[in-house]
Amino acid sequence: MASTSQDPDLGIVLGLAWEQFVIELRTTLAEQGFDDLGRSDGYVFRCLANGPMNVSELAERLAISKQGAAQIIDDMQRRGYVERRPDPADGRAKLLYLTGRGEAALAAARRFHRNREQRLVREFGADAVHSLRAVLGGIATEERLADPLLRALHI
């Protein structure tokens, strides 16, 4: 289908689709008791899901200052999503871990992502979703997908 001058620009459609996705994600997570998630929480969840790290390592991955990362972690710890534990290799250092609540929030978000994609397959067909992934992946590029600046994205 060819675009007409009355169609919204592609960037507008992409932005609106992303906004709708985030609205549905936040609503679903809130219904499951995770109504207090912050913008950076999802990236922190994904980082810590790969194993514990210290605040300096997290700051590097987020491309922010150690103070900024510590503030995010302080807030997430206050909300019960992460905890600090002594580093067995360095008694002076602390490692960051997801709590049970943090693991549950990450699992709920990942379930939402899978379910949302399955819903798209039911609505538009597997070929259309595969093509959509290919097009969006081509726009994003692997280099961009690995960019720590994606930290601003929601879970």
Side-chain angles (χ1 to χ4, degrees):
M1 181 164 114
S3 175
T4 70
S5 62
Q6 296 175 341
D7 290 338
D9 293 333
L10 178 61
I12 301 283
V13 174
L14 288 170
L16 291 173
W18 171 248
E19 279 184 14
Q20 185 60 36
F21 180 87
V22 170
I23 288 168
E24 291 177 22
L25 172 63
R26 295 254 175 219
T27 300
T28 299
L29 292 176
E31 289 169 353
Q32 295 177 44
F34 306 110
D35 59 349
D36 59 348
L37 293 170
R39 278 184 60 96
S40 299
D41 292 357
Y43 190 82
V44 173
F45 288 152
R46 288 187 300 272
C47 284
L48 296 181
N50 294 325
M53 65 180 59
N54 63 41
V55 171
S56 295
E57 292 167 326
L58 181 64
E60 186 176 318
R61 293 223 183 143
L62 295 174
I64 62 175
S65 70
K66 285 194 287 188
Q67 294 81 8
Q71 287 176 347
I72 291 169
I73 293 304
D74 287 346
D75 184 51
M76 290 181 75
Q77 186 171 13
R78 180 187 56 76
R79 290 180 284 124
Y81 292 108
V82 298
E83 63 184 349
R84 291 176 169 96
R85 295 186 208 158
D87 182 342
D90 179 356
R92 299 168 296 156
K94 299 280 187 191
L95 292 177
L96 306 171
Y97 291 83
L98 290 177
T99 63
R101 180 169 171 74
E103 290 173 355
L106 178 59
R110 286 181 168 162
R111 241 184 345 270
F112 172 83
H113 283 257
R114 283 190 309 275
N115 291 341
R116 187 63 180 98
E117 186 164 347
Q118 290 168 356
R119 196 168 102 203
L120 287 173
V121 168
R122 285 192 304 275
E123 290 176 23
F124 300 103
D127 290 342
V129 173
H130 178 76
S131 295
L132 176 63
R133 277 186 158 280
V135 169
L136 294 176
I139 293 169
T141 73
E142 284 187 39
E143 183 179 297
R144 282 289 295 139
L145 289 170
D147 189 334
L149 295 178
L150 289 176
R151 69 187 180 279
L153 296 179
H154 302 267
I155 296 178

